[in-house]
Amino acid sequence: MAEAGFTTQGASSEAPKRPAGTGKGAAASVSKDATDEQLMEAYAGGNMAAATALHQRYSKVLYGVLTRDLARPEDGSDLVQQCFLQLHRHRRDYQVGRPFRPWFMTIAFNLKRQYFRTKKRRPESELSDEQQQRIGAKDVAADVINARETLRKALAELNEQQREVIALHWFGGIPMPEVSEIVGASLSAVKVRAHRAYAKMRIYISEEE
Amino acid sequence: MTGVSLEQEELGVGLSTPSAADLPPLPDESPDLEAFEQHLAETLREEDASPFGRWRSLPIKTQRIAWGLGALVAVAVSFFLSRRVDWDVYPVGRLALVLGVLSVAWVYAATRSNIPLDRPTRGPIAGASWVLLGLAVPLVFSLMPAAHADHSLSLAGVADDFIPRAVGCLVWGTLTALPATFIILATDRQPSRQRRILAGVIGGLLGNITLQLHCPLTSPMHLVTSHATVGLVLVLVGVGFVLIAARRSGRS
């Protein structure tokens, strides 16, 4: 079974009435049932506990969505760190009531495009060798390494637009309408890209096997 | 794609939602999340403690108001406190053209340099185009024939007077553009060498606006060497800071 995309806690339509968190600073608490939108609103107001909650919800999904086509794992850690740093810098631009996930994923994908376009590290994102070793996956079985490499090569068969759609839809478990919003294309175009991409990947993987 | 016509594929019509159900399961890509989150917390603390961290986190609208005010102050100083002495004889049409084009270019370039990441991003070709345009526009205006020869001071800046006048204008243009340029740099959420170059070029546009309001000299030679080069000076200043910062971070 393909791994289900990471689902965030608290759908927007089931938002509890109590606020996500009150007060500013690291000491302010947040409700575990808070929606992403409530957490982001609290974060924008200075609640760092809300920030931590968002980091915990989205770290794994960002790794899954952004890093599977990368040749170097340390680039992935760097990139995901940059995503959260940019979220921190953009927090006061968040419009209350706006769906959080497509907004944040748009930031993440725009950042990824720029990150590898310029192919330069930002000074504040430099990870030491020790940090890279700690953050990188440890004790990975050979079959997992092979599976990752096969997937990475299959993704290399796709163009950038197809890779993005696959990353969001398959790795992130994000529904197609939201994918179209994030990548800035029509739903039809996104579906066509996804169909073609999945077909190419099936062919590649079956040939590898 | 089985059962889907070419027309359907081309138009995206009637396509079912695609699925990865028959593909192998995804391998686990999780790193050590605890170590990752510790490093992230350190990064955010450093960001908030840094001199420009708070500036970068200001809402986009506030950032734009800040550098807009910086530009307005520069323009106001040039216009109200040090206006060109040949103002009354300078051709109105040319003045409007030069100031209009430079102002629109500056506002548009500064706004585009400050686009938040949730909007479509600019590619490297677009970025390079802006740099070239920012340098070319003042140069083109500087190379035009002299606007007039109806004021004695407009004919200065030649022979022995050339270098002092040129240096004076270069300093004026650079200094008046610095506040707004500095604010643009300080609020940049994705600092990079290319963006610092672009900020310098944008500053050059503003410097040319203030010089157009302040300097009465009309000689193309003077304009090319001291007005059109303000952008280059700001770029060199910005690149210099980048190199110094890079050496310091390399040493630390």
Side-chain angles (χ1 to χ4, degrees):
Chain A
M1 292 286 290
E3 180 187 19
F6 181 78
T7 53
T8 56
Q9 297 173 14
S12 300
S13 58
E14 300 166 0
K17 291 184 181 172
R18 54 191 167 150
T22 54
K24 293 187 177 181
S29 61
V30 291
S31 164
K32 288 183 182 177
D33 298 326
T35 65
D36 293 344
E37 289 74 22
Q38 290 174 323
L39 288 176
M40 189 62 216
E41 188 182 344
Y43 182 14
N47 187 328
M48 291 310 292
T52 302
L54 282 172
H55 299 161
Q56 289 168 349
R57 287 185 184 186
Y58 278 89
S59 296
K60 193 174 176 183
V61 71
L62 277 185
Y63 266 101
V65 168
L66 295 179
T67 66
R68 293 191 190 272
D69 58 339
L70 303 182
R72 305 195 315 161
E74 55 268 31
D75 280 342
S77 297
D78 220 9
L79 180 58
V80 175
Q81 288 272 329
Q82 276 296 310
C83 287
F84 286 117
L85 180 59
Q86 289 301 326
L87 179 66
H88 190 67
R89 291 175 177 172
H90 283 71
R91 66 190 188 276
R92 295 198 181 102
D93 290 331
Y94 174 71
Q95 295 164 3
V96 174
R98 178 178 182 173
F100 171 78
R101 186 168 63 182
W103 177 72
F104 183 39
M105 285 298 175
T106 303
I107 290 174
F109 269 83
N110 281 338
L111 185 65
K112 182 178 180 181
R113 290 185 198 114
Q114 287 191 353
Y115 189 86
F116 292 102
R117 210 177 267 162
T118 58
K119 295 190 193 296
K120 283 183 183 177
R121 302 273 178 98
R122 275 75 175 174
E124 65 271 18
S125 72
E126 279 297 329
L127 299 171
S128 65
D129 290 340
E130 186 196 342
Q131 285 167 331
Q132 286 175 10
Q133 280 184 344
R134 276 193 290 128
I135 293 173
K138 297 178 293 187
D139 301 328
V140 180
D143 58 342
V144 174
I145 294 175
N146 288 339
R148 284 180 186 171
E149 189 58 21
T150 301
L151 181 61
R152 192 186 66 76
K153 286 179 180 174
L155 288 168
E157 297 289 309
L158 311 177
N159 62 37
E160 186 182 346
Q161 291 176 333
Q162 290 169 342
R163 270 200 301 275
E164 287 182 351
V165 168
I166 292 297
L168 288 165
H169 184 246
W170 184 15
F171 309 155
I174 295 173
M176 278 289 162
E178 198 173 321
V179 171
S180 76
E181 183 184 343
I182 293 168
V183 304
S186 68
L187 181 58
S188 300
V190 162
K191 280 187 176 180
V192 169
R193 289 177 198 172
H195 274 296
R196 288 178 178 165
Y198 282 128
K200 280 187 189 176
M201 294 184 73
R202 283 188 194 97
I203 292 169
Y204 180 84
I205 290 172
S206 63
E207 285 174 355
E208 284 293 297
E209 289 169 353
Chain B
M1 286 177 282
T2 310
V4 177
S5 69
L6 184 60
E7 185 180 348
Q8 280 180 312
E9 181 187 337
E10 292 299 325
L11 296 177
V13 172
L15 281 176
S16 58
T17 299
S19 169
D22 56 344
L23 286 166
L26 289 170
D28 182 22
E29 293 281 357
S30 301
D32 181 347
L33 288 178
E34 190 178 329
F36 171 82
E37 284 166 17
Q38 279 177 3
H39 182 255
L40 177 59
E42 286 169 28
T43 301
L44 295 184
R45 274 195 294 273
E46 285 171 8
E47 170 75 2
D48 287 342
S50 72
F52 298 135
R54 291 172 189 270
W55 293 53
R56 286 192 281 253
S57 296
L58 288 172
I60 287 285
K61 286 182 185 174
T62 306
Q63 293 180 355
R64 288 175 176 173
I65 289 171
W67 49 251
L69 283 175
L72 274 177
V73 166
V75 167
V77 165
S78 300
F79 183 75
F80 292 111
L81 301 182
S82 189
R83 194 183 321 171
R84 59 191 304 155
V85 294
D86 65 336
W87 185 264
D88 293 332
V89 299
Y90 196 96
V92 174
R94 175 133 166 197
L95 188 67
L97 173 69
V98 174
L99 286 177
V101 170
L102 287 173
S103 300
V104 168
W106 182 81
V107 169
Y108 191 72
T111 306
R112 291 294 302 174
S113 76
N114 190 254
I115 293 281
L117 267 172
D118 63 338
R119 304 283 173 81
T121 55
R122 179 187 66 229
I125 295 175
S129 303
W130 272 112
V131 170
L132 288 173
L133 200 65
L135 292 173
V137 167
L139 185 62
V140 165
F141 284 134
S142 300
L143 288 171
M144 287 166 64
H148 69 88
D150 300 332
H151 196 290
S152 58
L153 268 181
S154 297
L155 305 175
V158 294
D160 293 340
D161 201 31
F162 175 78
I163 292 178
R165 296 281 184 179
V167 170
C169 278
L170 204 53
V171 170
W172 178 272
T174 303
L175 288 180
T176 51
L178 260 181
T181 308
F182 175 79
I183 294 171
I184 288 176
L185 282 170
T187 54
D188 189 354
R189 292 172 178 172
Q190 305 167 71
S192 69
R193 187 175 301 170
Q194 188 194 33
R195 291 170 73 91
R196 288 191 174 101
I197 290 173
L198 182 59
V201 168
I202 292 172
L205 290 170
L206 178 59
N208 272 264
I209 292 172
T210 59
L211 282 168
Q212 182 68 20
L213 292 169
H214 161 76
C215 173
L217 275 64
T218 55
S219 155
M221 181 62 75
H222 170 80
L223 298 181
V224 167
T225 52
S226 62
H227 291 209
T229 50
V230 170
L232 278 177
V233 169
L234 287 168
V235 165
L236 289 172
V237 168
V239 170
F241 275 124
V242 168
L243 290 174
I244 292 170
R247 282 190 182 177
R248 279 188 185 161
S249 64
R251 266 192 245 127
S252 63

